[in-house]
Amino acid sequence: VAIAAITSRAWREVPAQSTPSAATDHALSTLLVVSVLLQLALGLRARHTGEGIMEHLSFAVVVVIFGVIVAARLLGKYDGIPVLRRTGSALIVHTGTQVALGFLAFVMVGRRGDLATPPTLEVAITTAHQACGALLLANAVLALVWCRRLLLAPRTDPVTAVGATSVD
């Protein structure tokens, strides 16, 4: 996903923008990617060992918080940068879809009991949840690379930044 963004025409043509919130957006998008990766690891453990489901469910709250915050910032602060708005829109859709699929997967697995072979609907829902997690990671990576590319912290004059005054 990052390679696709970096090799796109928009990467070459869309100018970067100086914004005081660049550092915040860089940090939040990085935290989103890290939290999604951790959540995928917790989901992997839950799916393949049956252990750690409560950790996976609990940490989902962290991912949702970061997903909503990053999406809201991209949608609300950068009207003039369509690629950030599209990334924010996709991020909010994938975050919401992932929560809904996670809830359905939890309900389906909880209803199963001790069946050796899970029902087809359960397999479909849990697989869709896993696939949507990959889409969420892809969107988080896009948010990270586009924020790093397009949002620049304003430059400050080192002399005036420390409170010095100019001499006439």
Side-chain angles (χ1 to χ4, degrees):
V1 170
I3 291 170
I6 291 167
T7 58
S8 71
R9 183 178 345 148
W11 190 270
R12 292 184 306 273
E13 294 177 359
V14 176
Q17 175 177 312
S18 179
T19 177
S21 59
T24 301
D25 290 316
H26 294 173
L28 287 169
S29 60
T30 300
L31 288 169
L32 176 60
V33 170
V34 170
S35 67
V36 171
L37 286 170
L38 289 171
Q39 180 66 352
L40 288 172
L42 291 170
L44 176 92
R45 178 178 175 226
R47 183 167 184 169
H48 293 288
T49 69
E51 298 173 1
I53 189 69
M54 292 314 294
E55 291 89 347
H56 181 63
L57 289 170
S58 299
F59 198 72
V61 173
V62 174
V63 174
V64 169
I65 290 169
F66 282 128
V68 169
I69 290 171
V70 171
R73 290 179 67 88
L74 295 180
L75 287 167
K77 294 180 72 58
Y78 304 109
D79 286 336
I81 308 176
V83 70
L84 290 181
R85 291 191 51 79
R86 285 191 304 270
T87 301
S89 294
L91 189 56
I92 200 72
V93 167
H94 286 131
T95 300
T97 303
Q98 186 65 348
V99 169
L101 287 170
F103 175 76
L104 289 173
F106 180 73
V107 169
M108 291 299 295
V109 170
R111 291 181 54 202
R112 175 170 26 128
D114 290 332
L115 296 176
T117 305
T120 304
L121 182 60
E122 177 188 329
V123 172
I125 290 172
T126 55
T127 301
H129 179 59
Q130 183 180 5
C132 191
L135 288 173
L136 185 57
L137 176 61
N139 258 295
V141 168
L142 279 178
L144 174 64
V145 298
W146 280 117
C147 283
R148 295 277 176 173
R149 163 63 179 82
L150 297 175
L151 305 177
L152 303 174
R155 294 187 182 259
T156 57
D157 181 358
V159 174
T160 58
V162 294
T165 59
S166 63
V167 177
D168 289 276

